[in-house]
Amino acid sequence: MLPSRLLPIPHCPTAPAPSPTPTPPGGARSPSSVTLRFGSPGGTGVRLRRRRGSAAVAMASDGRVERIASSIRAIPNFPKPGILFQDITTLLLDPQAFRDTTDLFVERYKDKSITVVAGVEARGFIFGPPIALAIGAKFVPIRKPKKLPGEVISEEYSLEYGTDKIEMHVGAVQPNDRVLIVDDLIATGGTLCAAAKLIERVGAKVVECACVIELPELKGRDKLGDLPVFVLVQADESV
């Protein structure tokens, strides 16, 4: 079943929630609608209707999280039939939602002694650098094969059909580093798991993985084992 809405995670910081914001220009134009719920975790939400082009449901009282969820659109049957693609490009078109996303991550990690933010290609390169700058950490790109010019260390991981691998420059991460791994989305968890193995192979500590979106029905957390994962919104297939 295709996930049809996004749920903020209840461990986000809280603040008074503003009125729901409209979907940014460029969202999907389906005339159908989905039910959205706003309110505090465990509390009573306010129900309303919103066009299906907004892949959003808010459950936390922090208005920033609702704005982030509302700015992400869902594209059906992309990149292949049966996939509902969570498109963060509409989030990037909304400067306030983009800032909110960065701010929520910075608030979480600014006091955790993070020395490296490792961004997973490609959308980890969007969210990782501003987080790294804000918390005073260095940014390390984790890339697809043959994209880095220097000596690399690589890690292979399984796909539905076949394998792929990711690479990191040798020496970019040191044994005493405390690393935050950043990507836009956790699905099956294969890429994040491979990234964590790269970091651990050089003797550094992975503090946490941070993603904007989680597709929980794909059970990516199971693949990561005990590695902590922090996400802002979850896709929900119950509607």
Side-chain angles (χ1 to χ4, degrees), residues 27 44 177 195 213 215 229 235:
T44 301
D177 277 325
I213 307 166
L215 306 182
V229 180

Side-chain angles (χ1 to χ4, degrees), residues 29-65:
R29 301 301 181 187
S30 168
S32 60
S33 60
V34 293
T35 300
L36 308 185
R37 181 180 290 109
F38 303 87
S40 59
T44 301
V46 178
R47 297 178 67 85
L48 59 132
R49 306 293 289 181
R50 177 161 297 177
R51 291 190 179 276
R52 189 170 295 279
S54 171
V57 171
M59 298 295 287
S61 61
D62 192 326
R64 296 176 296 176
V65 180

Side-chain angles (χ1 to χ4, degrees), residues 3-5 28 52-55 72-76 84-87 90:
S4 59
R5 62 179 185 172
R52 189 170 295 279
S54 171
I72 300 168
R73 66 176 172 177
I75 305 295
L84 188 65
F85 184 80
Q86 303 296 335
D87 180 19
T90 44

Side-chain angles (χ1 to χ4, degrees), residues 84 92 102 108 147 180 187 213:
L84 188 65
L92 304 177
T102 302
R108 180 171 179 83
K147 297 291 187 180
L180 171 67
I213 307 166

Side-chain angles (χ1 to χ4, degrees), residues 216-227:
E217 73 278 5
L218 297 181
K219 302 185 184 302
R221 290 176 186 260
D222 293 350
K223 184 167 291 186
L224 293 170
D226 295 331
L227 187 65

Side-chain angles (χ1 to χ4, degrees), residues 145-165:
K146 300 181 180 179
K147 297 291 187 180
L148 294 170
E151 183 182 0
V152 299
I153 179 174
S154 63
E155 183 70 32
E156 192 173 85
Y157 62 98
S158 298
L159 301 172
E160 184 177 3
Y161 301 103
T163 61
D164 203 348
K165 66 179 179 179

